[in-house]
Amino acid sequence: MQSKKGIERMKPFLSHVINVIAAQLEGVQALVLRGSQQTDSVIDLWSDTDLVIILKPLFCTNETDFVRVINSIGFVIGCEMYKYSEHSMLYRTAIDYEYSIHMLDTQICSYGDWIFTESKKDQPSTVVYGNIELDERITESARPCSFHSYNSSNTWFKYFMAIKKFARNDNLIGLHLLLDLIREYLVIEMMERDIRQGTNIHRLGYGEQLPDTIKLSQIDVSDKKEIYDYIARLA
C-alpha cells in the first residue's frame, strides 16, 4: 500500500472526483486508487480511473445515495453496475467532464470487506484520501448496505467501451460488445413491431428487411475509421 503526499499533483479529473466524493458521500473512511493512474508513466486517454471507496466501520449506505454522488461528478453518458456482495458493488461510468470523456470505475465496499478481502488482493493501491488502519480485530455487523435495487441503463456505456476496445486493437471484445448492442436494437424493433401489428403472436413473420448496419460480415476490423463509422450508424 502506497501513501499519496496530497492531491495537488494529481490529474485534474481524479482530483475533482476525490473532492466530490469526500464532500458529498457520508461515511467515507478512505479512497484508494488502483490501476495505471497511480503511476507517472504515460497513459492513453482510454485509461480508466479505478477508485475504491471504503466506508467507516459499521457504517451503512445505500446505492441510491452512492449513485447520486457519482452522477454529480459530471454528465454520465453511460453506465453499468456489478454487485459483488451485500456490502460491495462496482459502478462503471463514462463521464463527460470539461469537454472530455473519462472512464470511471468506482467500487464501494464496507470496512470489513476491505480488511478481509480487498486489502489482500495482489495489486498495487494508493490511499488518496483518508486513512486505513488494517486492524482485523474490527468486525462488521451483518447489516447489509442495501445494494439491490438500482437498475442501470448501460447501452451508451457499451458504445464507449466498444470504441475503447477497438482503439486498443482488442477487436474480439469490441465485436462482442457490438453484438450485444445489436441484440438490444433488435429487441426494440420487435417491441415496435408488436405495437404496429397490435399483437405479439407472429406465426409466419412479416419479412422485415434488416438494415445494412446489422451485416457484421461487412466490417473490416483493421480499418478503425470504418469501425467508428459503423458504431455511429448503429447508434
Side-chain angles (χ1 to χ4, degrees), residues 23-201:
Q24 297 187 25
L25 188 62
E26 187 179 358
V28 176
Q29 172 75 22
L31 300 176
V32 173
L33 182 67
R34 286 177 169 168
S36 60
Q37 299 281 358
Q38 298 175 82
T39 67
D40 293 329
S41 59
V42 177
I43 54 177
D44 63 28
L45 59 87
W46 304 107
S47 295
D48 297 351
T49 298
D50 299 299
L51 200 64
V52 182
I53 303 172
I54 303 162
L55 298 176
K56 294 178 180 178
L58 305 181
F59 190 86
C60 181
T61 188
N62 61 73
E63 52 192 68
T64 300
D65 291 339
F66 169 54
V67 170
R68 173 186 55 78
V69 172
I70 301 303
N71 287 356
S72 71
I73 291 171
F75 179 72
V76 176
I77 297 170
C79 63
E80 61 183 9
M81 184 174 288
Y82 300 93
K83 176 183 175 184
Y84 294 138
S85 69
E86 290 183 336
H87 303 270
S88 182
M89 64 182 292
L90 173 67
Y91 187 41
R92 309 189 68 197
T93 49
I95 295 180
D96 182 358
Y97 174 71
E98 292 191 345
Y99 308 104
S100 182
I101 296 173
H102 302 266
M103 309 299 293
L104 175 64
D105 291 355
T106 314
Q107 181 181 351
I108 187 167
C109 68
S110 69
Y111 191 85
D113 273 357
W114 170 258
I115 294 295
F116 297 110
T117 304
E118 292 297 324
S119 66
K120 300 182 185 303
K121 290 184 176 179
D122 185 21
Q123 56 178 302
S125 56
T126 302
V127 178
V128 292
Y129 173 83
N131 62 81
I132 306 170
E133 297 178 0
L134 299 182
D135 187 351
E136 297 192 5
R137 294 173 299 177
I138 297 177
T139 59
E140 288 279 45
S141 68
R143 185 181 175 197
C145 290
S146 303
F147 294 154
H148 55 75
S149 62
Y150 183 80
N151 293 318
S152 58
S153 176
N154 59 6
T155 299
W156 283 106
F157 184 82
K158 286 182 182 177
Y159 280 120
F160 283 99
M161 287 300 295
I163 293 172
K164 169 182 173 177
K165 293 302 181 182
F166 284 127
R168 286 182 162 179
N169 294 313
D170 197 348
N171 295 328
L172 283 178
I173 295 181
L175 287 173
H176 166 73
L177 292 170
L178 285 181
L179 284 170
D180 270 357
L181 292 168
I182 291 171
R183 177 183 55 80
E184 294 175 7
Y185 165 81
L186 290 175
V187 169
I188 294 174
E189 285 292 312
M190 286 186 286
M191 294 171 63
E192 291 185 348
R193 181 182 70 174
D194 290 345
I195 293 173
R196 289 194 304 269
Q197 302 297 333
T199 179
N200 59 2
I201 299 174

